[in-house]
Amino acid sequence: MSTVCVHGLGYIGLPTAAMLANHDHSVVGYDTSEELIAQLRTGEVHVEEPGLRAFLARALDSGDLDLSTEAKPAEYHVICVPTPFRTRPKEADLRFVEEAGETIAPLLRPDDVVILESTVPPGTTTDTLKPLLEASGLAPGTEFALAHCPETVLPGNVITELKHNDRIVGGIDRRSTDAAVRLYDSFVEGAIHTTADVTTAEFVKLIQNTFRDVNIAFANEVAKIADDYGVDSREAIERANVHPRVEILQPGPGVGGHCLPIDPWFLGQRSDRLDLIEAARRVNDGMANYVVERLRGELGSLSGSRIAILGIAYKGNVGDTRESPGLKLAHELRASVSRPEDGGAEGGAVDVTLCDPYVHDDAVVGLEEAVTDADAAVITADHDEFGELTPRRVGDRMARRLIVDTKGVLDADAWIESGFTVLRI
Ligand code: SAJ
């Protein structure tokens, strides 16, 4: 078993540190935030993830996980820091990767291994991280190992996927790749695949998320076309997918989260060949506007209307609101009244109410309050609770019986029987 220092205790670093400790490694979970470390030491987790709290408690109880605001020398340094996205110009903000490199360099000893897990534009490990680590005076490859092993876990199922997903590992040389594989071998039950070099591993991660984004964009475009023909897109997609070589994803209110809407742009950081991928981003980003259009088609002017948005998490059964389609829709609805075709400001702003059982925020209200006097309710996250909604629970409270189901969670026929107009995407 090895000594490991995990840099960054966020969505990925925290469960990874706990996983390594629960597999007998001696782990330091390092984060620069004193507040976070103090909170985690009490067993409170800041990431809403099923099972994580107990998993962390087990690691802390074992004595194999030490949480610290100080990075420590270790045989393995695993970097799990955020790589935020700057919109102008569209590029990765690598500040935290750089800080991690600067932190590790003075701690680095011969034969130590540095692994970058954060999602980064291709070339980052060799061009950004490696030079910073060379400040240690040690030679990369021969004196210390350096590799990229992208995280691939799905929020909401992180602990299972950390253990069972296949992993991709690419090092700056064979020795680096093998050293990194040894660490993952100690807890991963999926297969560990290696790439010819480190940049390929970075690239693979990005094309996985980009593939999903493009596929969803296809589904969203199909949904819009289907509606023009009076065809239910979800039924059509389900039937299309019976073909052994067709696997279309589901349409919705747009693509949220911290990965799919961002990673395609990382691909474009040093390539100007994005075409289909950029178009897909436009389609997915345009879905909020499409929902506004559909509402306008039903309600006429939106000025002075009250719209309830059910779901401001970026997807079902999680509380994460990063790049949330529901919040984007709220923004578009509020912005929509300034348009002349909507009567401008004279008709009054759109009154948007937000409801989400997974998000704890002052702006969020309970279901009953959200739908009271609403001209329409729009489901924008496939939380289990919304799938269980009944017309009886909301119908009498609403000003109009109009529901927009962008996630296909409702039994439309039952709602139509109760006098609702149901718009589906
Ligand atoms: N969505 C659709 N239609 C679908 C599937 C998803 O509209 O058929 C939407 C969701 O509602 C959500 C967004 O896409 O708004 C992203 O959700 P997701 O569940 O597809 O993915 P994430 O962002 O939670 O996690 C992804 C995963 N990547 C892939 O599946 C290729 C995960 O495995 C990665 O580890 C994660 O990105 C990451 O960290 O990169």
Side-chain angles (χ1 to χ4, degrees):
M1 293 302 123
S2 308
T3 54
V4 186
C5 183
V6 176
H7 297 249
L9 297 178
Y11 290 80
I12 304 299
L14 184 61
T16 300
M19 179 66 79
L20 288 163
N22 286 335
H23 284 79
D24 299 329
H25 295 287
S26 174
V27 182
V28 172
Y30 158 67
D31 199 285
T32 50
S33 166
E34 282 180 18
E35 204 184 328
L36 175 63
I37 295 295
Q39 181 193 345
L40 291 173
R41 280 190 183 139
T42 68
E44 272 305 309
V45 295
H46 60 305
V47 178
E48 279 202 33
E49 180 60 40
L52 181 57
R53 206 187 148 114
F55 198 62
L56 176 68
R58 201 176 113 202
L60 289 170
D61 287 348
S62 73
D64 282 329
L65 176 60
D66 180 24
L67 302 172
S68 177
T69 50
E70 219 181 293
K72 305 271 168 65
E75 289 160 279
Y76 285 93
H77 290 274
V78 180
I79 303 174
C80 301
V81 296
T83 44
F85 177 59
R86 293 198 193 108
T87 43
R88 279 192 205 129
K90 286 190 167 70
E91 60 180 27
D93 175 354
L94 296 175
R95 162 171 41 136
F96 300 114
V97 174
E98 288 164 7
E99 278 175 17
E102 285 159 4
T103 303
I104 294 167
L107 304 175
L108 212 55
R109 306 160 310 184
D111 296 328
D112 285 347
V113 183
V114 181
I115 301 169
L116 178 63
E117 282 210 11
S118 313
T119 306
V120 290
T124 302
T125 308
T126 47
D127 299 348
T128 304
L129 186 57
K130 185 158 69 91
L132 293 167
L133 297 172
E134 281 169 333
S136 63
L138 299 172
T142 47
E143 291 180 296
F144 71 91
L146 176 60
H148 181 60
C149 177
E151 61 83 11
T152 61
V153 290
L154 193 73
N157 197 28
V158 166
I159 295 169
T160 307
E161 293 209 355
L162 259 184
K163 203 169 172 59
H164 295 280
N165 282 4
D166 286 9
R167 298 296 293 243
I168 305 289
V169 177
I172 57 163
D173 59 4
R174 190 71 238 174
R175 202 174 143 263
S176 294
T177 306
D178 292 345
V181 166
R182 278 197 293 280
L183 182 69
Y184 292 96
D185 236 354
S186 68
F187 70 92
V188 170
E189 289 185 6
I192 300 174
H193 309 270
T194 60
T195 53
D197 57 36
V198 66
T199 306
T200 307
E202 295 167 334
F203 193 82
V204 167
K205 161 71 189 201
L206 297 177
I207 63 172
Q208 285 172 333
N209 278 351
T210 302
F211 170 77
R212 196 161 169 82
D213 194 47
V214 172
N215 190 332
I216 297 168
F218 178 75
N220 281 332
E221 191 159 307
V222 163
K224 292 193 281 184
I225 298 168
D227 188 58
D228 287 344
Y229 287 96
V231 166
D232 182 274
S233 64
R234 289 174 193 273
E235 183 192 351
I237 288 172
E238 194 183 328
R239 296 292 174 263
N241 285 349
V242 302
H243 189 286
R245 284 176 294 283
V246 175
E247 205 174 336
I248 307 167
L249 289 168
Q250 295 299 308
V255 170
H258 53 296
C259 308
L260 267 54
I262 291 165
D263 292 0
W265 299 120
F266 283 13
L267 273 180
Q269 187 130 332
R270 288 202 223 155
S271 169
D272 56 8
R273 294 187 190 277
L274 271 57
D275 185 1
L276 170 72
I277 290 170
E278 279 192 8
R281 283 279 71 244
R282 271 199 307 280
V283 170
N284 288 338
D285 276 348
M287 290 310 285
N289 251 319
Y290 177 68
V291 175
V292 174
E293 229 177 80
R294 297 284 303 271
L295 281 168
R296 202 179 275 129
E298 207 56 44
L299 294 172
S301 168
L302 295 181
S303 288
S305 63
R306 184 172 162 94
I307 312 284
I309 296 184
L310 310 185
I312 60 164
Y314 83 89
K315 67 174 185 176
N317 302 334
V318 302
D320 190 338
T321 59
R322 286 179 291 175
E323 311 292 325
S324 150
L327 287 177
K328 185 161 198 286
L329 175 62
H331 174 81
E332 297 290 345
L333 281 168
R334 287 177 181 132
S336 70
V337 288
S338 57
R339 290 175 194 163
E341 70 267 28
D342 242 6
E346 278 168 40
V350 180
D351 180 12
V352 178
T353 57
L354 306 175
C355 165
D356 195 306
Y358 292 80
V359 178
H360 311 291
D361 186 289
D362 290 347
V364 174
V365 298
L367 178 73
E368 276 73 18
E369 189 179 339
V371 299
T372 297
D373 297 332
D375 295 291
V378 187
I379 296 181
T380 42
D382 42 355
H383 296 320
D384 291 345
E385 289 81 349
F386 294 152
E388 288 155 13
L389 271 186
T390 56
R392 182 198 286 258
R393 185 152 172 223
V394 295
D396 289 344
R397 295 174 188 270
M398 293 179 66
R400 295 196 205 198
R401 294 189 166 227
L402 172 60
I403 191 143
V404 185
D405 181 6
T406 73
K407 298 301 283 186
V409 294
L410 299 179
D411 172 0
D413 291 342
W415 286 71
I416 291 165
E417 265 171 37
S418 299
F420 267 83
T421 299
V422 180
L423 304 182
R424 272 161 60 96
I425 285 183

